[in-house]
Amino acid sequence: MDIIKEDIKDMEEIIESNLWKELFTSFKKNKLAVVGSIVILMFILLAIFAPIIVRYDPYKVDLDAQFLKPSRENLIGTDMYGRDVLTRIIYGSRISLVIALVPPTISMIIGIIMGILSGYYGGKTDIIIMTIADIVLSFPSILLAMVVMYTLGANLLNIFIALSVVGWAGTARVVRSQTLSLKNKEFVEAAKAIGVKDYIIMFRHILPNCIPQLLVLFTLNIPSSILSEASLSFLGVGAQPPASSWGLMVSNGKEYLFNAPWVTISPGIAILIIVLAFNFLGDGLRDALDPYLKQ
C-alpha cells in the first residue's frame, strides 16, 4: 500500500514539473503577455517604492497651486486642491494593486472550496451550493457589490468583502465541472481503494489538476476587480477622500474635464494600462495552457 502511495505521488510530481516547464516555454512566445507582465511588475515596483520615487505629499492641500498645467515641476499637473496628479496616481496604484489581488484571492478560495465540495459529493450538497451560486450570478456584480457597500459602509475593508462576495460563484462552477470530470479517474479510484480520506483526495489529488484553469481564471478576474473598485469609488461607495484611488480621482475631476482634463484623463489612462496588462497576461496563460493551440 505504501508503494502504491509513493508511485501515485511520483507520477503527480512528474506531471506537475512537466506542466510548469511547458507553460513557461509557451508563455515566453506570447509577446503581449510578456509586455503585460513587465507593465505589471513596473506598477508593483512603483507602488512599493512610492515614498522614495515621488517628490510631493499626495495628501497635502495647496490652494495656491490649483489646476497647474503639466510642466517640468508637475509632469501631469495638479488637481483642484493643488495636489500633484502624478504623485496621487503612483500612490493610487497601491490601492488598485491591493484590490486587484486580495478580493480575487478570497473569492478564489471560497469558490474552490464550494466547487470541489459540490462536484465531489454531488446530491443535496451540489444542489444547495449551485443554487446559491446561481442566485449570486443572477445579480449584476456591480449592483450586488453596491448593495453590500451601502449595507456595510464605504471603506477599503468592505470593498474586499463586497468584491469577494460577488466573485466566488464563477470559480465554484469551474472547479465543480473539473471535479466532476476528475473524480472518476483512475488515480482517484486508486486513492479511494487504499483508504485515502475524502478531503485529502479533494485537495491533494483533484485540486492540483484544476490549477491551470484556476490560474487563468484568477488573472482574468483581476481586471474585473480593478474596474469594480474604480466604479464603486466613482459612484461614491468605494474608497473615500483623501484616498488616492484612481476611480475616486476620475470622479473628483469629472466636473473639471474641460478646464483641467489631465485630472480625470490621467488616472483613467492608468486604469486602462493596468487592466490591459492583466488581460494580456491572462490571455497569454490561457493560450499557453490550451492544448489545441499547441498542435
Side-chain angles (χ1 to χ4, degrees):
M1 189 175 293
D2 292 335
I3 295 175
I4 295 175
K5 288 182 178 179
E6 290 178 2
D7 289 341
I8 293 174
K9 185 177 180 180
D10 291 340
M11 289 177 63
E12 289 175 343
E13 289 177 352
I14 292 172
I15 292 171
E16 289 176 10
S17 176
N18 292 335
L19 174 64
W20 289 112
K21 185 177 180 180
E22 185 178 353
L23 171 62
F24 182 71
T25 303
S26 301
F27 182 81
K28 288 193 300 181
K29 297 178 182 178
N30 191 316
K31 302 301 181 183
L32 286 178
V34 174
V35 170
S37 302
I38 294 172
V39 171
I40 292 167
L41 179 60
M42 290 175 58
F43 272 100
I44 291 173
L45 293 176
L46 283 174
I48 294 173
F49 298 106
I52 300 174
I53 296 171
V54 301
R55 298 169 50 191
Y56 303 101
D57 185 339
Y59 307 110
K60 184 179 180 181
V61 175
D62 183 3
L63 297 180
D64 293 329
Q66 285 181 306
F67 297 124
L68 294 179
K69 294 182 178 180
S71 64
R72 185 175 298 178
E73 292 297 320
N74 305 99
L75 294 179
I76 311 183
T78 62
D79 63 9
M80 69 290 297
Y81 298 111
R83 300 171 298 191
D84 183 66
V85 174
L86 179 59
T87 298
R88 287 182 61 78
I89 288 175
I90 292 174
Y91 269 87
S93 65
R94 291 182 163 187
I95 294 178
S96 293
L97 289 173
V98 170
I99 292 293
L101 297 175
V102 175
T105 301
I106 296 173
S107 62
M108 183 70 67
I109 293 171
I110 297 172
I112 287 172
I113 294 172
M114 292 296 189
I116 205 166
L117 289 174
S118 177
Y120 187 80
Y121 287 113
K124 292 183 179 179
T125 303
D126 185 28
I127 293 172
I128 293 171
I129 293 176
M130 284 300 103
T131 299
I132 296 173
D134 289 339
I135 293 172
V136 173
L137 291 172
S138 66
F139 288 94
S141 58
I142 190 66
L143 179 60
L144 186 57
M146 287 178 63
V147 171
V148 175
M149 292 300 297
Y150 275 121
T151 303
L152 300 179
N155 58 57
L156 196 59
L157 177 61
N158 291 339
I159 292 178
F160 293 162
I161 296 173
L163 297 182
S164 300
V165 166
V166 304
W168 67 270
T171 302
R173 280 193 166 279
V174 171
V175 174
R176 174 183 177 270
S177 65
Q178 290 293 313
T179 303
L180 288 172
S181 66
L182 291 169
K183 71 176 184 179
N184 294 320
K185 295 289 186 181
E186 290 80 2
F187 66 92
V188 175
E189 295 293 340
K192 290 180 180 178
I194 60 177
V196 178
K197 294 181 179 179
D198 286 348
Y199 73 90
I200 295 178
I201 293 175
M202 286 188 287
F203 295 101
R204 179 66 184 87
H205 299 289
I206 294 178
L207 181 58
N209 290 279
C210 303
I211 288 178
Q213 290 78 15
L214 291 174
L215 188 61
V216 175
L217 185 63
F218 179 75
T219 55
L220 293 177
N221 282 341
I222 288 175
S224 298
S225 183
I226 295 174
L227 290 173
S228 295
E229 183 277 328
S231 299
L232 291 171
S233 297
F234 182 84
L235 295 171
V237 293
Q240 298 298 303
S244 54
S245 162
W246 291 343
L248 187 60
M249 292 174 69
V250 173
S251 178
N252 289 339
K254 67 181 185 296
E255 298 178 4
Y256 312 98
L257 184 59
F258 295 102
N259 298 326
W262 58 84
V263 178
T264 297
I265 293 176
S266 299
I269 292 174
I271 294 172
L272 172 66
I273 292 172
I274 194 66
V275 168
L276 276 177
F278 276 111
N279 278 330
F280 289 154
L281 175 61
D283 289 342
L285 289 174
R286 183 194 60 202
D287 293 345
L289 291 166
D290 191 337
Y292 296 102
L293 294 177
K294 299 173 184 177
Q295 295 176 357

